[in-house]
Amino acid sequence: MRPDVRPDWRPALVRSVTLRHDRVRGLDLLVLPERVVVLRGAAASIVALCDGERDVRAIVAELERRHPGAPVADEVPVFLDRLRREGWLR
């Protein structure tokens, strides 16, 4: 894991950000004040696990279970760090 993402961090969306699925367009979205971010690939399934209860280790373990062989342990902490730096995760 990246040194700047602690494995015991319990990420959660900040209050002003919500995860939504647009059924009409078939897209997963992060809805922010005055902005919408389209999530691609497995991003929504990662964000959905950021409930403030699971730590990064548990999120990685769950995704490794769902996606055997995928480079989850390398990529998920980087993705979470990016969302945190954007101010979308606490």
Side-chain angles (χ1 to χ4, degrees):
M1 283 190 195
R2 290 175 48 127
D4 49 346
V5 175
R6 294 187 352 240
D8 62 339
W9 173 41
R10 296 178 184 273
L13 289 172
V14 297
R15 284 186 186 174
S16 61
V17 178
T18 57
L19 176 63
R20 297 256 169 89
H21 180 73
D22 182 331
R23 292 181 189 166
V24 174
R25 294 177 188 87
L27 297 172
D28 292 308
L29 310 168
L30 280 182
V31 180
L32 302 94
E34 301 181 22
R35 184 174 174 193
V36 174
V37 176
V38 176
L39 299 174
R40 304 213 185 275
S45 64
I46 298 168
V47 172
L49 294 173
C50 295
D51 57 8
E53 297 294 321
R54 294 177 183 92
D55 61 18
V56 173
R57 281 183 292 241
I59 292 169
V60 167
E62 175 61 23
L63 292 167
E64 285 177 332
R65 186 188 67 73
R66 292 181 190 179
H67 309 284
V72 173
D74 294 328
E75 294 179 359
V76 169
V78 173
F79 176 71
L80 294 176
D81 184 50
R82 182 173 170 205
L83 294 181
R84 181 180 53 111
R85 289 175 189 269
E86 290 287 342
W88 305 336
L89 288 177
R90 57 172 173 83

